[in-house]
Amino acid sequence: MTGTAETEAGEFWDIYKLDGVAIPTNVPAIRIDDQDLVFKTKREKFGAVIDEIVKLTQAGRPVLVGTTSVEGGELLSRMIRQKQIPANVLNAKQHAREAQIGAEAGLSAAVTIATNMAGRGTDIKLGPGVKDAGGLAILGTERHESRRVDRQLRGRAGRQGDPGSSLFFVSLEDDLMRMFGSERIAKVMDFAGYKEGEVIQHSKITKSIERAQKKVEENKFGIRKRLLEYNDVMKKQRTVTSSKRNQAL
């Protein structure tokens, strides 16, 4: 019963012989999912994230910023405070305040920074006037290795037919990009004469990022499958040994 396990459906069938079925939303989703913004460096990327937060809060929209690590979230929090914008940080260190931070996250111009795994059990209720302003804005500061986690972040906005939007910021220095494809994109940017601070936004690049995520997912699935095969050998040995022991007893 999940909207994001569609990307893992092959693994569920291979390992458990269970089908994965996507359940349609209760109310049609009207959230706008924009193409990724790709920058050359992390510095340019974080600068653009801050500018976007300023723009969205001035429009009266609440912003949920997703980071792939606790350190990344705390760094971004310090950068935002330099702009005199108050921000709540939601990570493993703030588990006691999680419900309160979640309750405040939908208020007009509220900024919440969360590691991608934090606070997913709570719906973010939109405050007065937020629907008219465009709803909750999701900003991802990096693509996660798993498409499923990115989908979980996107899915925090636009619940039950609410308006909302999501946008991911990517740099060629990010771990995922360094592993797959950043050199090719860097050559394209150089060839096109991109200057510092300029950004690429194109469906082909978004698709190449998703292909990189698929490769990581396939690698990790291979590791889990091989581990299970080793476990099956030990399981057979345990079964034989236990039956012999039981006969002796």
Side-chain angles (χ1 to χ4, degrees):
M1 290 284 287
T2 165
T4 58
E6 199 179 358
T7 55
E8 322 300 328
E11 181 169 346
F12 293 145
W13 178 254
D14 260 18
I15 303 293
Y16 308 108
K17 296 294 179 277
L18 289 173
D19 270 323
V21 180
I23 299 165
T25 54
N26 179 40
V27 181
I30 59 168
R31 185 187 67 239
I32 298 162
D33 297 326
D34 285 314
Q35 303 288 352
D36 297 1
L37 296 179
V38 182
F39 296 85
K40 263 192 164 182
T41 65
K42 281 187 178 182
R43 185 172 53 79
E44 293 168 63
K45 176 185 77 172
F46 279 115
V49 170
I50 300 293
D51 292 344
E52 187 68 14
I53 291 169
V54 170
K55 188 175 88 178
L56 289 164
T57 52
Q58 284 173 350
R61 292 182 66 185
V63 184
L64 178 65
V65 187
T67 65
T68 56
S69 67
V70 171
E71 297 78 26
E74 290 180 343
L75 168 70
L76 196 65
S77 166
R78 289 195 295 274
M79 290 171 75
I80 289 171
R81 290 206 176 101
Q82 284 173 358
K83 293 273 183 184
Q84 269 69 55
I85 297 173
N88 276 322
V89 180
L90 181 56
N91 57 39
K93 295 178 183 178
Q94 272 82 29
H95 61 90
R97 290 188 59 232
E98 192 166 299
Q100 186 194 338
I101 292 171
E104 294 169 3
L107 300 176
S108 178
V111 179
T112 310
I113 300 167
T115 50
N116 287 351
M117 302 302 284
R120 287 175 305 153
T122 49
D123 265 349
I124 295 172
K125 191 177 176 185
L126 301 183
V130 169
K131 280 188 184 180
D132 297 333
L136 177 66
I138 302 291
L139 301 181
T141 59
E142 195 173 329
R143 280 287 199 147
H144 197 273
E145 284 183 353
S146 159
R147 290 170 297 159
R148 186 176 180 183
V149 178
D150 287 347
R151 285 181 169 202
Q152 285 168 340
L153 178 61
R154 283 195 201 277
R156 303 308 302 275
R159 312 277 278 213
Q160 300 294 339
D162 282 344
S165 65
S166 72
L167 174 62
F168 278 85
F169 293 76
V170 177
S171 91
L172 301 188
E173 294 175 345
D174 293 347
D175 292 342
L176 182 72
M177 298 298 286
R178 281 213 313 272
M179 279 192 287
F180 301 98
S182 65
E183 286 175 16
R184 197 171 66 251
I185 297 168
K187 280 175 188 168
V188 171
M189 290 178 92
D190 289 337
F191 181 75
Y194 276 83
K195 305 281 189 297
E196 184 171 321
E198 287 188 324
V199 60
I200 289 185
Q201 188 175 34
H202 200 282
S203 58
K204 278 188 179 174
I205 290 178
T206 301
K207 283 195 179 93
S208 79
I209 292 167
E210 284 176 359
R211 276 197 300 274
Q213 289 173 308
K214 269 186 180 174
K215 281 183 188 173
V216 176
E217 286 165 14
E218 283 163 12
N219 291 347
K220 296 210 168 160
F221 167 45
I223 292 166
R224 287 193 292 273
K225 192 173 182 185
R226 185 52 51 90
L227 197 62
L228 200 67
E229 286 164 2
Y230 276 116
N231 186 60
D232 285 344
V233 174
M234 292 175 72
K235 189 176 170 184
K236 282 172 188 163
Q237 290 174 347
R238 277 196 302 270
T239 307
V240 171
T241 310
S242 295
S243 68
K244 296 270 186 200
R245 189 186 62 187
N246 289 340
Q247 282 172 12
L249 288 169

